[in-house]
Amino acid sequence: MPDRDALDILLAKQACTELVYTLARGLDRCDRGMLLSVFHPDATDDHGGFKGSAAEFVDWVVELLPTMERTQHLIGNVLIDVAGDHAVGEACFMANHDMKNAQGQPIRMIAAGRYLDRFERREGLWKIAHRHAVYDWNANLDRTDTWDRSPGSPRVFGERGTGDPLYAHRASLT
């Protein structure tokens, strides 16, 4: 029989990890509701260029992201430390942003760093209380995407919002 404390810590780590992944998914889908769902109502965010409440961050980022053609936030090395109803986490990110540079040329801006999150369990539910984005490096690259993105393309491409195949895929579970 597993130790009850060890099991609680394991479940807490998994819940916090899911919040980190869900926030990245919400960013790439520009899904305001999904983004808000990971934060406590009084949560805060420090993204360097933005500092304020998490709700204000969500408003800011859902206006900013559509200025880019597409994004993909990759999360790795998620480590969570738990102490009762509080936890802190570090998760590495690499965020790819397809956009245009100042001259209007298509580029891929890659930002890499770490999310330092503070989580709290309130009324049995883990959510983010504070997120701090720490940046390690970035790069601007010429874009070399050669896929046919026309409506007749044989590939299915991701998109922002509920038209993305993810939403129908998740709905198929019920």
Side-chain angles (χ1 to χ4, degrees):
M1 181 107 182
D3 177 282
R4 193 74 183 135
D5 289 336
L7 184 57
D8 186 54
I9 290 170
L10 181 62
L11 292 171
K13 288 182 179 213
Q14 183 61 37
C16 294
T17 299
E18 292 275 333
L19 292 168
V20 173
Y21 290 147
T22 300
L23 203 159
R25 175 189 274 174
L27 290 170
D28 293 333
R29 301 286 64 82
C30 290
D31 188 323
R32 186 176 193 282
M34 187 179 295
L35 290 168
L36 288 170
S37 76
V38 303
F39 291 106
H40 283 297
D42 60 344
T44 54
D45 186 283
D46 180 350
H47 256 73
F50 172 88
K51 293 178 183 163
S53 75
E56 291 167 330
F57 166 74
V58 170
D59 290 341
W60 174 78
V61 80
V62 297
E63 286 186 27
L64 174 67
L65 289 173
T67 67
M68 303 167 195
E69 292 175 51
R70 64 192 67 84
T71 61
Q72 186 179 58
H73 290 72
L74 304 172
I75 305 296
N77 300 352
V78 180
L79 294 170
I80 309 289
D81 296 309
V82 180
D85 289 335
H86 295 81
V88 294
E90 176 189 48
C92 294
F93 71 84
M94 186 179 296
N96 297 279
H97 306 82
D98 282 2
M99 54 197 289
K100 301 220 188 290
N101 65 13
Q103 295 75 40
Q105 301 300 312
I107 63 167
R108 175 160 298 135
M109 188 276 283
I110 304 169
R114 290 160 292 127
Y115 294 127
L116 303 181
D117 293 316
R118 192 174 70 246
F119 307 92
E120 292 178 7
R121 179 170 42 195
R122 300 180 190 170
E123 298 178 15
L125 187 62
W126 286 98
K127 289 196 178 194
I128 298 171
H130 179 74
R131 165 161 279 191
H132 185 194
V134 176
Y135 299 94
D136 292 327
W137 61 270
N138 84 308
N140 292 326
L141 311 171
D142 290 334
R143 246 188 357 212
T144 58
D145 187 345
T146 59
W147 283 344
D148 173 11
R149 291 182 177 272
S150 71
S153 172
R155 291 180 178 85
V156 174
F157 293 97
E159 62 182 74
R160 298 215 166 118
T162 58
D164 186 86
L166 164 71
Y167 293 87
H169 180 66
R170 291 181 71 208
S172 72
L173 187 60
T174 56

mmCIF file with all atom_site columns, all heavy atoms in Angstrom, residues 88-107:
data_model
loop_
_atom_site.group_PDB
_atom_site.id
_atom_site.type_symbol
_atom_site.label_atom_id
_atom_site.label_alt_id
_atom_site.label_comp_id
_atom_site.label_asym_id
_atom_site.label_entity_id
_atom_site.label_seq_id
_atom_site.pdbx_PDB_ins_code
_atom_site.Cartn_x
_atom_site.Cartn_y
_atom_site.Cartn_z
_atom_site.occupancy
_atom_site.B_iso_or_equiv
_atom_site.pdbx_formal_charge
_atom_site.auth_seq_id
_atom_site.auth_comp_id
_atom_site.auth_asym_id
_atom_site.auth_atom_id
_atom_site.pdbx_PDB_model_num
ATOM 1   N N   . VAL A 1 88  ? 5.959  25.016 -5.762  1.00 0.00 ? 88  VAL A N   1
ATOM 2   C CA  . VAL A 1 88  ? 6.672  25.862 -6.711  1.00 0.00 ? 88  VAL A CA  1
ATOM 3   C C   . VAL A 1 88  ? 7.174  24.971 -7.830  1.00 0.00 ? 88  VAL A C   1
ATOM 4   O O   . VAL A 1 88  ? 7.475  23.793 -7.618  1.00 0.00 ? 88  VAL A O   1
ATOM 5   C CB  . VAL A 1 88  ? 7.836  26.650 -6.067  1.00 0.00 ? 88  VAL A CB  1
ATOM 6   C CG1 . VAL A 1 88  ? 7.313  27.667 -5.062  1.00 0.00 ? 88  VAL A CG1 1
ATOM 7   C CG2 . VAL A 1 88  ? 8.849  25.719 -5.431  1.00 0.00 ? 88  VAL A CG2 1
ATOM 8   N N   . GLY A 1 89  ? 7.224  25.550 -9.020  1.00 0.00 ? 89  GLY A N   1
ATOM 9   C CA  . GLY A 1 89  ? 7.658  24.763 -10.157 1.00 0.00 ? 89  GLY A CA  1
ATOM 10  C C   . GLY A 1 89  ? 8.550  25.553 -11.086 1.00 0.00 ? 89  GLY A C   1
ATOM 11  O O   . GLY A 1 89  ? 8.480  26.786 -11.146 1.00 0.00 ? 89  GLY A O   1
ATOM 12  N N   . GLU A 1 90  ? 9.393  24.809 -11.794 1.00 0.00 ? 90  GLU A N   1
ATOM 13  C CA  . GLU A 1 90  ? 10.211 25.358 -12.866 1.00 0.00 ? 90  GLU A CA  1
ATOM 14  C C   . GLU A 1 90  ? 9.947  24.495 -14.085 1.00 0.00 ? 90  GLU A C   1
ATOM 15  O O   . GLU A 1 90  ? 10.009 23.265 -14.014 1.00 0.00 ? 90  GLU A O   1
ATOM 16  C CB  . GLU A 1 90  ? 11.696 25.317 -12.516 1.00 0.00 ? 90  GLU A CB  1
ATOM 17  C CG  . GLU A 1 90  ? 12.578 25.794 -13.655 1.00 0.00 ? 90  GLU A CG  1
ATOM 18  C CD  . GLU A 1 90  ? 14.059 25.546 -13.409 1.00 0.00 ? 90  GLU A CD  1
ATOM 19  O OE1 . GLU A 1 90  ? 14.418 24.414 -13.010 1.00 0.00 ? 90  GLU A OE1 1
ATOM 20  O OE2 . GLU A 1 90  ? 14.841 26.480 -13.640 1.00 0.00 ? 90  GLU A OE2 1
ATOM 21  N N   . ALA A 1 91  ? 9.614  25.134 -15.197 1.00 0.00 ? 91  ALA A N   1
ATOM 22  C CA  . ALA A 1 91  ? 9.383  24.423 -16.454 1.00 0.00 ? 91  ALA A CA  1
ATOM 23  C C   . ALA A 1 91  ? 10.094 25.169 -17.572 1.00 0.00 ? 91  ALA A C   1
ATOM 24  O O   . ALA A 1 91  ? 9.920  26.386 -17.724 1.00 0.00 ? 91  ALA A O   1
ATOM 25  C CB  . ALA A 1 91  ? 7.891  24.337 -16.760 1.00 0.00 ? 91  ALA A CB  1
ATOM 26  N N   . CYS A 1 92  ? 10.917 24.472 -18.324 1.00 0.00 ? 92  CYS A N   1
ATOM 27  C CA  . CYS A 1 92  ? 11.592 25.092 -19.460 1.00 0.00 ? 92  CYS A CA  1
ATOM 28  C C   . CYS A 1 92  ? 10.589 25.261 -20.598 1.00 0.00 ? 92  CYS A C   1
ATOM 29  O O   . CYS A 1 92  ? 9.695  24.430 -20.784 1.00 0.00 ? 92  CYS A O   1
ATOM 30  C CB  . CYS A 1 92  ? 12.749 24.220 -19.933 1.00 0.00 ? 92  CYS A CB  1
ATOM 31  S SG  . CYS A 1 92  ? 14.084 24.081 -18.731 1.00 0.00 ? 92  CYS A SG  1
ATOM 32  N N   . PHE A 1 93  ? 10.738 26.349 -21.343 1.00 0.00 ? 93  PHE A N   1
ATOM 33  C CA  . PHE A 1 93  ? 9.899  26.540 -22.522 1.00 0.00 ? 93  PHE A CA  1
ATOM 34  C C   . PHE A 1 93  ? 10.741 26.954 -23.712 1.00 0.00 ? 93  PHE A C   1
ATOM 35  O O   . PHE A 1 93  ? 11.806 27.545 -23.569 1.00 0.00 ? 93  PHE A O   1
ATOM 36  C CB  . PHE A 1 93  ? 8.794  27.588 -22.275 1.00 0.00 ? 93  PHE A CB  1
ATOM 37  C CG  . PHE A 1 93  ? 9.277  29.006 -22.170 1.00 0.00 ? 93  PHE A CG  1
ATOM 38  C CD1 . PHE A 1 93  ? 9.485  29.787 -23.301 1.00 0.00 ? 93  PHE A CD1 1
ATOM 39  C CD2 . PHE A 1 93  ? 9.517  29.580 -20.934 1.00 0.00 ? 93  PHE A CD2 1
ATOM 40  C CE1 . PHE A 1 93  ? 9.921  31.096 -23.204 1.00 0.00 ? 93  PHE A CE1 1
ATOM 41  C CE2 . PHE A 1 93  ? 9.954  30.896 -20.818 1.00 0.00 ? 93  PHE A CE2 1
ATOM 42  C CZ  . PHE A 1 93  ? 10.163 31.665 -21.961 1.00 0.00 ? 93  PHE A CZ  1
ATOM 43  N N   . MET A 1 94  ? 10.260 26.587 -24.886 1.00 0.00 ? 94  MET A N   1
ATOM 44  C CA  . MET A 1 94  ? 10.764 27.095 -26.140 1.00 0.00 ? 94  MET A CA  1
ATOM 45  C C   . MET A 1 94  ? 9.523  27.476 -26.934 1.00 0.00 ? 94  MET A C   1
ATOM 46  O O   . MET A 1 94  ? 8.704  26.623 -27.269 1.00 0.00 ? 94  MET A O   1
ATOM 47  C CB  . MET A 1 94  ? 11.606 26.069 -26.900 1.00 0.00 ? 94  MET A CB  1
ATOM 48  C CG  . MET A 1 94  ? 12.254 26.659 -28.147 1.00 0.00 ? 94  MET A CG  1
ATOM 49  S SD  . MET A 1 94  ? 13.281 25.491 -29.048 1.00 0.00 ? 94  MET A SD  1
ATOM 50  C CE  . MET A 1 94  ? 14.544 25.156 -27.843 1.00 0.00 ? 94  MET A CE  1
ATOM 51  N N   . ALA A 1 95  ? 9.370  28.756 -27.176 1.00 0.00 ? 95  ALA A N   1
ATOM 52  C CA  . ALA A 1 95  ? 8.171  29.259 -27.844 1.00 0.00 ? 95  ALA A CA  1
ATOM 53  C C   . ALA A 1 95  ? 8.532  29.745 -29.239 1.00 0.00 ? 95  ALA A C   1
ATOM 54  O O   . ALA A 1 95  ? 9.353  30.649 -29.398 1.00 0.00 ? 95  ALA A O   1
ATOM 55  C CB  . ALA A 1 95  ? 7.558  30.393 -27.020 1.00 0.00 ? 95  ALA A CB  1
ATOM 56  N N   . ASN A 1 96  ? 7.930  29.104 -30.230 1.00 0.00 ? 96  ASN A N   1
ATOM 57  C CA  . ASN A 1 96  ? 8.136  29.461 -31.630 1.00 0.00 ? 96  ASN A CA  1
ATOM 58  C C   . ASN A 1 96  ? 7.014  30.388 -32.071 1.00 0.00 ? 96  ASN A C   1
ATOM 59  O O   . ASN A 1 96  ? 5.834  30.081 -31.867 1.00 0.00 ? 96  ASN A O   1
ATOM 60  C CB  . ASN A 1 96  ? 8.123  28.196 -32.490 1.00 0.00 ? 96  ASN A CB  1
ATOM 61  C CG  . ASN A 1 96  ? 9.260  27.264 -32.136 1.00 0.00 ? 96  ASN A CG  1
ATOM 62  O OD1 . ASN A 1 96  ? 10.373 27.461 -32.574 1.00 0.00 ? 96  ASN A OD1 1
ATOM 63  N ND2 . ASN A 1 96  ? 8.977  26.250 -31.327 1.00 0.00 ? 96  ASN A ND2 1
ATOM 64  N N   . HIS A 1 97  ? 7.388  31.508 -32.686 1.00 0.00 ? 97  HIS A N   1
ATOM 65  C CA  . HIS A 1 97  ? 6.410  32.504 -33.126 1.00 0.00 ? 97  HIS A CA  1
ATOM 66  C C   . HIS A 1 97  ? 6.644  32.799 -34.606 1.00 0.00 ? 97  HIS A C   1
ATOM 67  O O   . HIS A 1 97  ? 7.669  33.393 -34.953 1.00 0.00 ? 97  HIS A O   1
ATOM 68  C CB  . HIS A 1 97  ? 6.572  33.814 -32.347 1.00 0.00 ? 97  HIS A CB  1
ATOM 69  C CG  . HIS A 1 97  ? 6.533  33.648 -30.864 1.00 0.00 ? 97  HIS A CG  1
ATOM 70  N ND1 . HIS A 1 97  ? 7.632  33.256 -30.131 1.00 0.00 ? 97  HIS A ND1 1
ATOM 71  C CD2 . HIS A 1 97  ? 5.538  33.831 -29.977 1.00 0.00 ? 97  HIS A CD2 1
ATOM 72  C CE1 . HIS A 1 97  ? 7.304  33.214 -28.841 1.00 0.00 ? 97  HIS A CE1 1
ATOM 73  N NE2 . HIS A 1 97  ? 6.040  33.557 -28.727 1.00 0.00 ? 97  HIS A NE2 1
ATOM 74  N N   . ASP A 1 98  ? 5.726  32.370 -35.466 1.00 0.00 ? 98  ASP A N   1
ATOM 75  C CA  . ASP A 1 98  ? 5.805  32.726 -36.882 1.00 0.00 ? 98  ASP A CA  1
ATOM 76  C C   . ASP A 1 98  ? 5.184  34.102 -37.051 1.00 0.00 ? 98  ASP A C   1
ATOM 77  O O   . ASP A 1 98  ? 4.009  34.306 -36.729 1.00 0.00 ? 98  ASP A O   1
ATOM 78  C CB  . ASP A 1 98  ? 5.079  31.696 -37.746 1.00 0.00 ? 98  ASP A CB  1
ATOM 79  C CG  . ASP A 1 98  ? 5.903  30.433 -37.962 1.00 0.00 ? 98  ASP A CG  1
ATOM 80  O OD1 . ASP A 1 98  ? 7.021  30.342 -37.419 1.00 0.00 ? 98  ASP A OD1 1
ATOM 81  O OD2 . ASP A 1 98  ? 5.428  29.540 -38.681 1.00 0.00 ? 98  ASP A OD2 1
ATOM 82  N N   . MET A 1 99  ? 5.984  35.042 -37.552 1.00 0.00 ? 99  MET A N   1
ATOM 83  C CA  . MET A 1 99  ? 5.551  36.431 -37.632 1.00 0.00 ? 99  MET A CA  1
ATOM 84  C C   . MET A 1 99  ? 6.312  37.141 -38.736 1.00 0.00 ? 99  MET A C   1
ATOM 85  O O   . MET A 1 99  ? 7.093  36.507 -39.449 1.00 0.00 ? 99  MET A O   1
ATOM 86  C CB  . MET A 1 99  ? 5.778  37.103 -36.271 1.00 0.00 ? 99  MET A CB  1
ATOM 87  C CG  . MET A 1 99  ? 7.213  36.979 -35.757 1.00 0.00 ? 99  MET A CG  1
ATOM 88  S SD  . MET A 1 99  ? 7.422  37.318 -33.994 1.00 0.00 ? 99  MET A SD  1
ATOM 89  C CE  . MET A 1 99  ? 7.155  39.056 -33.926 1.00 0.00 ? 99  MET A CE  1
ATOM 90  N N   . LYS A 1 100 ? 6.107  38.420 -38.857 1.00 0.00 ? 100 LYS A N   1
ATOM 91  C CA  . LYS A 1 100 ? 6.843  39.221 -39.830 1.00 0.00 ? 100 LYS A CA  1
ATOM 92  C C   . LYS A 1 100 ? 7.771  40.172 -39.075 1.00 0.00 ? 100 LYS A C   1
ATOM 93  O O   . LYS A 1 100 ? 7.410  40.691 -38.023 1.00 0.00 ? 100 LYS A O   1
ATOM 94  C CB  . LYS A 1 100 ? 5.868  40.002 -40.700 1.00 0.00 ? 100 LYS A CB  1
ATOM 95  C CG  . LYS A 1 100 ? 4.902  39.091 -41.455 1.00 0.00 ? 100 LYS A CG  1
ATOM 96  C CD  . LYS A 1 100 ? 4.676  39.567 -42.842 1.00 0.00 ? 100 LYS A CD  1
ATOM 97  C CE  . LYS A 1 100 ? 3.599  38.807 -43.558 1.00 0.00 ? 100 LYS A CE  1
ATOM 98  N NZ  . LYS A 1 100 ? 3.809  37.508 -43.935 1.00 0.00 ? 100 LYS A NZ  1
ATOM 99  N N   . ASN A 1 101 ? 8.964  40.387 -39.634 1.00 0.00 ? 101 ASN A N   1
ATOM 100 C CA  . ASN A 1 101 ? 9.890  41.324 -39.008 1.00 0.00 ? 101 ASN A CA  1
ATOM 101 C C   . ASN A 1 101 ? 9.499  42.759 -39.384 1.00 0.00 ? 101 ASN A C   1
ATOM 102 O O   . ASN A 1 101 ? 8.489  42.977 -40.072 1.00 0.00 ? 101 ASN A O   1
ATOM 103 C CB  . ASN A 1 101 ? 11.344 40.993 -39.384 1.00 0.00 ? 101 ASN A CB  1
ATOM 104 C CG  . ASN A 1 101 ? 11.636 41.171 -40.862 1.00 0.00 ? 101 ASN A CG  1
ATOM 105 O OD1 . ASN A 1 101 ? 10.861 41.763 -41.627 1.00 0.00 ? 101 ASN A OD1 1
ATOM 106 N ND2 . ASN A 1 101 ? 12.780 40.634 -41.293 1.00 0.00 ? 101 ASN A ND2 1
ATOM 107 N N   . ALA A 1 102 ? 10.283 43.726 -38.967 1.00 0.00 ? 102 ALA A N   1
ATOM 108 C CA  . ALA A 1 102 ? 9.961  45.143 -39.196 1.00 0.00 ? 102 ALA A CA  1
ATOM 109 C C   . ALA A 1 102 ? 9.884  45.470 -40.688 1.00 0.00 ? 102 ALA A C   1
ATOM 110 O O   . ALA A 1 102 ? 9.189  46.402 -41.086 1.00 0.00 ? 102 ALA A O   1
ATOM 111 C CB  . ALA A 1 102 ? 11.001 46.028 -38.498 1.00 0.00 ? 102 ALA A CB  1
ATOM 112 N N   . GLN A 1 103 ? 10.559 44.694 -41.514 1.00 0.00 ? 103 GLN A N   1
ATOM 113 C CA  . GLN A 1 103 ? 10.531 44.918 -42.960 1.00 0.00 ? 103 GLN A CA  1
ATOM 114 C C   . GLN A 1 103 ? 9.418  44.118 -43.653 1.00 0.00 ? 103 GLN A C   1
ATOM 115 O O   . GLN A 1 103 ? 9.305  44.142 -44.865 1.00 0.00 ? 103 GLN A O   1
ATOM 116 C CB  . GLN A 1 103 ? 11.885 44.538 -43.588 1.00 0.00 ? 103 GLN A CB  1
ATOM 117 C CG  . GLN A 1 103 ? 13.051 45.414 -43.147 1.00 0.00 ? 103 GLN A CG  1
ATOM 118 C CD  . GLN A 1 103 ? 13.519 45.112 -41.721 1.00 0.00 ? 103 GLN A CD  1
ATOM 119 O OE1 . GLN A 1 103 ? 13.584 43.966 -41.303 1.00 0.00 ? 103 GLN A OE1 1
ATOM 120 N NE2 . GLN A 1 103 ? 13.825 46.162 -40.977 1.00 0.00 ? 103 GLN A NE2 1
ATOM 121 N N   . GLY A 1 104 ? 8.620  43.392 -42.858 1.00 0.00 ? 104 GLY A N   1
ATOM 122 C CA  . GLY A 1 104 ? 7.514  42.621 -43.427 1.00 0.00 ? 104 GLY A CA  1
ATOM 123 C C   . GLY A 1 104 ? 7.888  41.245 -43.942 1.00 0.00 ? 104 GLY A C   1
ATOM 124 O O   . GLY A 1 104 ? 7.068  40.564 -44.566 1.00 0.00 ? 104 GLY A O   1
ATOM 125 N N   . GLN A 1 105 ? 9.112  40.814 -43.672 1.00 0.00 ? 105 GLN A N   1
ATOM 126 C CA  . GLN A 1 105 ? 9.568  39.496 -44.114 1.00 0.00 ? 105 GLN A CA  1
ATOM 127 C C   . GLN A 1 105 ? 9.156  38.426 -43.102 1.00 0.00 ? 105 GLN A C   1
ATOM 128 O O   . GLN A 1 105 ? 9.226  38.666 -41.891 1.00 0.00 ? 105 GLN A O   1
ATOM 129 C CB  . GLN A 1 105 ? 11.090 39.474 -44.261 1.00 0.00 ? 105 GLN A CB  1
ATOM 130 C CG  . GLN A 1 105 ? 11.632 40.485 -45.250 1.00 0.00 ? 105 GLN A CG  1
ATOM 131 C CD  . GLN A 1 105 ? 11.093 40.262 -46.642 1.00 0.00 ? 105 GLN A CD  1
ATOM 132 O OE1 . GLN A 1 105 ? 11.087 39.146 -47.147 1.00 0.00 ? 105 GLN A OE1 1
ATOM 133 N NE2 . GLN A 1 105 ? 10.597 41.336 -47.251 1.00 0.00 ? 105 GLN A NE2 1
ATOM 134 N N   . PRO A 1 106 ? 8.752  37.231 -43.572 1.00 0.00 ? 106 PRO A N   1
ATOM 135 C CA  . PRO A 1 106 ? 8.372  36.178 -42.631 1.00 0.00 ? 106 PRO A CA  1
ATOM 136 C C   . PRO A 1 106 ? 9.581  35.630 -41.873 1.00 0.00 ? 106 PRO A C   1
ATOM 137 O O   . PRO A 1 106 ? 10.592 35.298 -42.477 1.00 0.00 ? 106 PRO A O   1
ATOM 138 C CB  . PRO A 1 106 ? 7.736  35.104 -43.523 1.00 0.00 ? 106 PRO A CB  1
ATOM 139 C CG  . PRO A 1 106 ? 8.243  35.367 -44.892 1.00 0.00 ? 106 PRO A CG  1
ATOM 140 C CD  . PRO A 1 106 ? 8.595  36.828 -44.965 1.00 0.00 ? 106 PRO A CD  1
ATOM 141 N N   . ILE A 1 107 ? 9.451  35.594 -40.558 1.00 0.00 ? 107 ILE A N   1
ATOM 142 C CA  . ILE A 1 107 ? 10.521 35.055 -39.708 1.00 0.00 ? 107 ILE A CA  1
ATOM 143 C C   . ILE A 1 107 ? 9.905  34.127 -38.660 1.00 0.00 ? 107 ILE A C   1
ATOM 144 O O   . ILE A 1 107 ? 8.690  34.114 -38.454 1.00 0.00 ? 107 ILE A O   1
ATOM 145 C CB  . ILE A 1 107 ? 11.325 36.162 -38.983 1.00 0.00 ? 107 ILE A CB  1
ATOM 146 C CG1 . ILE A 1 107 ? 10.423 36.965 -38.024 1.00 0.00 ? 107 ILE A CG1 1
ATOM 147 C CG2 . ILE A 1 107 ? 12.044 37.056 -39.984 1.00 0.00 ? 107 ILE A CG2 1
ATOM 148 C CD1 . ILE A 1 107 ? 11.184 37.845 -37.046 1.00 0.00 ? 107 ILE A CD1 1
#
